[in-house]
Amino acid sequence: MTQEIFRDDAYCTEAEATVESCDARGIVLDRTIFYPKGGGQAGDAGTITRTDGTTIAIVDTVKGAPSPLGAGRGEGPPEILHIPAPDQNVVLSPGDKVKLRIDWERRHRHMRFHTATHLLCAIVPHQTNGCSITAGYARLDFDMVEPLDREHLERELARLVGEAHDVRTVWITDEELDAQPDLVRTMSVKPPRGVGRVRLLEIDGVDLQPCGGTHVANTREIGALRVAKIEKKSARTRRVVLEFADA
Ligand SMILES: [Zn+2]
């Protein structure tokens, strides 16, 4: 099972790790700073460097099959597969020590956009039914029939960014959630049950919802946003596309 460094420290850009396996599916490590595509957020790119200094370019990170826990112990969370760019020499053996480095410029854009989508959840009081976060844009689909006003969204986003709210993750157990029905009521997305422990993303005084993604530490770090598009995707879906205003 891979230790997920990005869950506790989204700002970690370099780390050392040991190779667990390397095959046609990708590279599995004992620990990683590469976020695997999931929860709408794109996977990380970067490099894996061998002890001899040669480097493997990683173009994407994805979740694979559940990880084996050993004889009779069932299955763990999905493996994290680091996908090498094509046409490289990708010979790695279990036990090899490697240095990891993520494409920070790309990841930081994912973090800024991901936190921005949570702000949007706080502004638009409707459930979401789709989400895509890339380095170029963030797209969020709301389950609603009312029209959305671009100027209102941009103004409110700018206000919440400018107010510089702290962003933090909080782990909470099923029992703690059951004991606080009011807390669950305030969440813009309802937490899953039966997994024992849920990771919540809290934007101080603004939004609280379960999320496994990577986020900036303060909303001011998001910077200026523009609502690039508001689309009526279906009778019951309104799609909002965000871009950075300086891009
Ligand atoms: Zn999220």
Side-chain angles (χ1 to χ4, degrees), residues 114 118 209 211 215:
H114 198 147
H118 285 229
Q209 61 173 281
C211 182
H215 292 271

Side-chain angles (χ1 to χ4, degrees), residues 9-24:
D9 184 4
Y11 289 84
C12 184
T13 60
E14 287 182 30
E16 293 182 358
T18 303
V19 175
E20 297 213 321
S21 67
C22 174
D23 56 35

Side-chain angles (χ1 to χ4, degrees), residues 208-219:
L208 179 69
Q209 61 173 281
C211 182
T214 58
H215 292 271
V216 292
N218 187 288
T219 59

